[in-house]
Protein backbone atom coordinates (compact mmCIF):
# COMPACT_ATOMS: atom_id res chain seq x y z
CA UNK A 1 0.00 0.00 0.00
CA UNK A 2 2.83 2.42 0.81
CA UNK A 3 4.15 2.10 -2.74
CA UNK A 4 0.83 3.34 -4.15
CA UNK A 5 1.07 6.29 -1.75
CA UNK A 6 4.57 7.01 -3.08
CA UNK A 7 3.15 6.94 -6.60
CA UNK A 8 0.31 9.28 -5.63
CA UNK A 9 2.72 11.81 -4.17
CA UNK A 10 5.01 11.42 -7.19
CA UNK A 11 2.08 12.35 -9.41
CA UNK A 12 1.22 15.37 -7.25
CA UNK A 13 4.83 16.50 -7.33
CA UNK A 14 4.97 16.14 -11.11
CA UNK A 15 1.78 18.17 -11.54
CA UNK A 16 3.04 20.87 -9.20
CA UNK A 17 6.43 21.02 -10.91
CA UNK A 18 4.98 21.25 -14.39
CA UNK A 19 2.44 23.91 -13.41
CA UNK A 20 5.27 25.83 -11.71
CA UNK A 21 7.14 25.76 -15.01
CA UNK A 22 4.17 27.36 -16.77
CA UNK A 23 3.77 29.91 -13.98
CA UNK A 24 7.45 30.81 -14.22
CA UNK A 25 7.18 31.31 -17.98
CA UNK A 26 4.18 33.62 -17.52
CA UNK A 27 5.41 35.59 -14.50
CA UNK A 28 9.11 35.63 -15.32
CA UNK A 29 10.12 35.04 -11.69
CA UNK A 30 12.72 32.59 -10.45
CA UNK A 31 10.44 31.18 -7.74
CA UNK A 32 8.53 29.12 -10.30
CA UNK A 33 11.76 27.71 -11.74
CA UNK A 34 13.06 26.74 -8.32
CA UNK A 35 9.73 25.11 -7.42
CA UNK A 36 9.79 23.29 -10.76
CA UNK A 37 13.28 21.85 -10.21
CA UNK A 38 12.51 20.77 -6.65
CA UNK A 39 9.13 19.21 -7.43
CA UNK A 40 10.27 17.35 -10.54
CA UNK A 41 13.23 15.96 -8.54
CA UNK A 42 10.92 14.90 -5.70
CA UNK A 43 8.59 13.34 -8.26
CA UNK A 44 11.32 11.15 -9.74
CA UNK A 45 12.56 10.12 -6.29
CA UNK A 46 9.07 9.08 -5.23
CA UNK A 47 8.49 7.30 -8.54
CA UNK A 48 11.71 5.34 -8.02
CA UNK A 49 10.43 4.26 -4.60
CA UNK A 50 7.05 3.26 -6.04
CA UNK A 51 8.53 0.98 -8.71
CA UNK A 52 10.10 -1.20 -6.04
CA UNK A 53 6.74 -3.00 -5.80
CA UNK A 54 4.62 -1.61 -8.65
CA UNK A 55 5.40 -2.76 -12.17
CA UNK A 56 7.43 -0.09 -13.96
CA UNK A 57 5.11 0.09 -16.97
CA UNK A 58 2.04 0.48 -14.77
CA UNK A 59 3.64 3.04 -12.45
CA UNK A 60 5.07 5.14 -15.26
CA UNK A 61 1.85 5.07 -17.28
CA UNK A 62 -0.22 6.11 -14.26
CA UNK A 63 2.33 8.79 -13.29
CA UNK A 64 2.37 10.27 -16.76
CA UNK A 65 -1.30 9.72 -17.62
CA UNK A 66 -2.79 11.17 -14.44
CA UNK A 67 -0.24 13.97 -14.62
CA UNK A 68 -1.28 14.84 -18.18
CA UNK A 69 -4.94 14.77 -17.22
CA UNK A 70 -4.60 17.17 -14.29
CA UNK A 71 -2.03 19.41 -15.97
CA UNK A 72 -4.36 19.83 -18.93
CA UNK A 73 -7.35 20.60 -16.71
CA UNK A 74 -5.36 23.08 -14.60
CA UNK A 75 -3.89 24.79 -17.65
CA UNK A 76 -7.40 25.33 -19.03
CA UNK A 77 -8.72 26.65 -15.71
CA UNK A 78 -5.74 28.70 -14.51
CA UNK A 79 -3.92 29.73 -17.66
CA UNK A 80 -6.92 30.07 -20.00
CA UNK A 81 -5.48 27.61 -22.49
CA UNK A 82 -8.01 26.46 -25.08
CA UNK A 83 -9.57 23.02 -25.01
CA UNK A 84 -11.17 21.44 -28.04
CA UNK A 85 -13.56 18.56 -28.45
CA UNK A 86 -10.65 16.47 -29.73
CA UNK A 87 -8.64 17.20 -26.56
CA UNK A 88 -11.64 16.25 -24.42
CA UNK A 89 -11.96 12.99 -26.35
CA UNK A 90 -8.25 12.34 -25.84
CA UNK A 91 -8.61 12.91 -22.10
CA UNK A 92 -11.57 10.52 -21.99
CA UNK A 93 -9.50 7.83 -23.72
CA UNK A 94 -6.66 8.57 -21.30
CA UNK A 95 -8.98 8.07 -18.32
CA UNK A 96 -10.15 4.75 -19.77
CA UNK A 97 -6.53 3.67 -20.21
CA UNK A 98 -5.65 4.65 -16.65
CA UNK A 99 -8.58 2.64 -15.31
CA UNK A 100 -7.58 -0.39 -17.37
CA UNK A 101 -3.99 -0.17 -16.11
CA UNK A 102 -5.14 0.06 -12.50
CA UNK A 103 -7.47 -2.90 -12.96
CA UNK A 104 -4.64 -4.81 -14.64
CA UNK A 105 -2.29 -4.08 -11.75
CA UNK A 106 -4.89 -5.33 -9.25
CA UNK A 107 -5.47 -8.43 -11.35
CA UNK A 108 -1.73 -9.12 -11.59
CA UNK A 109 -1.41 -8.82 -7.82
CA UNK A 110 -4.31 -11.24 -7.27
CA UNK A 111 -2.78 -13.72 -9.72
CA UNK A 112 0.59 -13.62 -7.96
CA UNK A 113 -1.02 -14.06 -4.53
CA UNK A 114 -2.86 -17.19 -5.72
CA UNK A 115 0.47 -18.74 -6.66
CA UNK A 116 -0.01 -19.01 -10.41
CA UNK A 117 3.10 -19.23 -12.54
CA UNK A 118 2.05 -16.31 -14.78
CA UNK A 119 4.56 -13.55 -15.39
CA UNK A 120 3.20 -10.00 -15.29
CA UNK A 121 4.41 -7.82 -18.12
Amino acid sequence: MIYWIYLGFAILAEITGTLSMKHASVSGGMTGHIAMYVMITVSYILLSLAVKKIALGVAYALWEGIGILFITLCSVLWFDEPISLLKILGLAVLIAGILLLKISASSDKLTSVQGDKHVAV
Side-chain angles (χ1 to χ4, degrees):
M1 180 64 173
I2 189 71
Y3 298 98
W4 288 104
I5 294 170
Y6 289 149
L7 181 59
F9 281 116
I11 293 166
L12 289 175
E14 180 211 6
I15 293 167
T16 303
T18 304
L19 292 173
S20 297
M21 176 177 49
K22 176 66 175 184
H23 175 72
S25 72
V26 172
S27 69
M30 281 304 294
T31 306
H33 289 287
I34 293 168
M36 175 192 68
Y37 294 130
V38 169
M39 295 311 290
I40 294 296
T41 301
V42 167
S43 179
Y44 274 99
I45 291 168
L46 290 169
L47 181 61
S48 72
L49 293 172
V51 298
K52 287 183 177 183
K53 294 291 181 181
I54 301 171
L56 177 60
V58 171
Y60 185 77
L62 292 173
W63 177 77
E64 197 63 43
I66 294 170
I68 289 169
L69 175 66
F70 282 99
I71 290 164
T72 301
L73 295 175
C74 290
S75 67
V76 168
L77 295 173
W78 294 340
F79 300 113
D80 296 321
E81 293 186 1
I83 187 156
S84 65
L85 185 57
L86 197 55
K87 285 182 185 177
I88 292 170
L89 180 60
L91 292 175
V93 170
L94 180 65
I95 291 168
I98 290 168
L99 291 174
L100 288 171
L101 282 169
K102 181 63 175 106
I103 291 167
S104 170
S106 298
S107 173
D108 290 346
K109 181 179 177 184
L110 181 61
T111 301
S112 68
V113 167
Q114 292 175 347
D116 289 345
K117 301 292 183 197
H118 300 287
V119 177
V121 180

